[in-house]
Amino acid sequence: MTGLALRGEWDLASAWRIASALRISGATHVHLHSSHAQTLGLLGSAMSGIRNVVVTRRVDFVPGRHFLNRWKYGPRVARFVAISRAIQDILIGVGVPIERIRLVPSGVELNRGTPGEGRAFREELGLAENQPLIGNIGHLADHKGQRYLVEAVPLVLRDFPRAKFVIVGHGELEVELKARADALGLGGHLVFTGFRRDVAAILDALDVFVLPSHLEGLGTIVLDALAARKPVVATRTGGVPDIIEDGREGLLVPPRDPKALASALSRLLSDSELACALAEEGHRKVEQDFSVDRMVEGNLALYRELPGLGAEL
């Protein structure tokens, strides 16, 4: 079975098909990676008699306190994986015992891109050689906070009129964000590219990466930016402080604060030595704590705790 056409989180027909696939495969352990997968996977596991269920939680909003969520976060899950301390705290807050939670941050590849491959993207934007480029990459949704970045752009342009900004991605707020940019008269200073697949090249093209989210489970795009040795300005929210200590691996600002965002961006644009030092320290942090190998080993260590897998792993 390669996929299911799901009709919702409580699609019992799909849960039954999952249970059948688990029985046929002889599976003894199940690892689930999203809210809908958690519901359907738990149902399927219960129908097939599997007790060793692991759930990874990646988002930092608080689950509703109702009966179905009490079941989803109850004892049928042998272990919960939290990708940040903020998510670990949320799980504890909804009643998951600390002994059933393991902190395993997401990991990223350290050498995704090639230095210099961003030149074509800069040419596409019509940038001069030394013209600063500040960018954000992500889904255009309220919790990603791009509206606060749009509001910060004119504040940065007062001191750096040659600066150019780019927001990469698409989503439900795209029309609203573009309308606000037009109302602020940003013109060619801010470019919305829509969805792009050449993320490594875009990161290479940037002088500063910015994450303006007010909810963020961890912030793997921040890890990608640091892995690419880019200085980062991000908000102090969710799991981001697990990655960045303010002034060490990047600059942190309060969420929903365009003035603070603009001030931090201007600080990096005016201090190239600081920007380079933060980028190098950020790369070191990712290499040490947020590599793919580190993530894999963390999950394997968790699996070894469960009955029936220790000897095989």
Side-chain angles (χ1 to χ4, degrees):
M1 181 175 63
T2 58
L4 290 174
L6 304 179
R7 294 175 295 181
E9 187 174 6
W10 296 94
D11 182 353
L12 295 180
S14 291
W16 180 254
R17 291 178 64 190
I18 290 170
S20 297
L22 292 173
R23 285 192 293 266
I24 292 170
S25 69
T28 58
H29 297 69
V30 175
H31 194 153
L32 308 169
H33 292 270
S34 71
S35 179
H36 283 192
Q38 183 177 346
T39 304
L40 291 168
L42 279 172
L43 287 169
S45 298
M47 293 174 184
S48 61
I50 293 176
R51 298 291 301 181
N52 288 309
V53 178
V54 176
V55 170
T56 292
R57 184 168 176 85
R58 306 178 187 281
V59 293
D60 66 336
F61 61 84
V62 179
R65 293 180 177 274
H66 52 74
F67 168 76
L68 295 178
N69 271 351
R70 287 199 295 273
W71 176 76
K72 285 175 66 173
Y73 293 91
R76 281 212 61 86
V77 179
R79 295 289 187 277
F80 283 90
V81 175
I83 66 169
S84 68
R85 289 175 295 175
I87 294 176
Q88 177 178 270
D89 290 343
I90 287 170
L91 289 170
I92 293 171
V94 297
V96 178
I98 184 67
E99 59 268 20
R100 287 201 288 126
I101 304 172
R102 297 295 177 268
L103 185 61
V104 183
S106 300
V108 297
E109 297 177 20
L110 293 172
N111 301 300
R112 284 185 63 189
T114 303
E117 70 175 315
R119 192 174 299 113
F121 183 71
R122 292 182 65 90
E123 291 173 356
E124 179 184 329
L125 296 179
L127 293 176
E129 180 142 351
N130 295 319
Q131 191 172 357
L133 179 62
I134 301 98
N136 166 261
I137 303 171
H139 185 64
L140 307 188
D142 177 77
H143 70 281
K144 290 294 184 179
Q146 286 96 351
R147 68 181 65 199
Y148 308 106
L149 174 57
V150 172
E151 299 290 339
V153 171
L155 304 178
V156 177
L157 291 175
R158 291 177 189 173
D159 296 322
F160 298 91
R162 296 179 68 246
K164 194 145 189 171
F165 291 78
V166 61
I167 293 178
V168 179
H170 65 79
E172 56 269 25
L173 288 190
E174 185 168 355
V175 173
E176 179 183 327
L177 292 170
K178 288 180 176 178
R180 183 56 182 157
D182 289 342
L184 290 170
L186 298 182
H189 290 289
L190 172 59
V191 176
F192 292 87
T193 71
F195 177 77
R196 301 277 298 226
R197 295 188 181 277
D198 52 342
V199 171
I202 292 171
L203 285 173
D204 182 70
L206 298 179
D207 294 290
V208 179
F209 179 82
V210 55
L211 183 88
S213 305
H214 60 84
L215 286 173
E216 197 68 53
L218 179 63
T220 52
I221 190 62
V222 171
L223 297 175
D224 285 327
L226 293 176
R229 287 188 165 88
K230 297 299 170 178
V232 171
V233 172
T235 43
R236 190 181 288 103
T237 189
V240 176
D242 286 13
I243 305 170
I244 293 176
E245 179 184 343
D246 185 36
R248 184 177 176 88
E249 294 90 8
L251 298 182
L252 293 182
V253 300
R256 298 188 176 99
D257 190 337
K259 289 183 179 179
L261 201 61
S263 177
L265 290 170
S266 295
R267 182 181 174 192
L268 290 187
L269 291 178
S270 63
D271 191 340
S272 59
E273 288 189 9
L274 173 63
C276 289
L278 295 177
E280 285 301 318
E281 190 63 23
H283 182 272
R284 184 203 63 77
K285 180 73 168 289
V286 173
E287 188 174 39
Q288 176 178 300
D289 296 334
F290 296 97
S291 68
V292 171
D293 288 344
R294 185 76 177 264
M295 175 184 67
V296 169
E297 183 50 45
N299 280 289
L300 287 176
L302 178 158
Y303 295 158
R304 292 185 190 106
E305 299 176 8
L306 302 177
L309 282 183
E312 300 176 26
L313 300 176

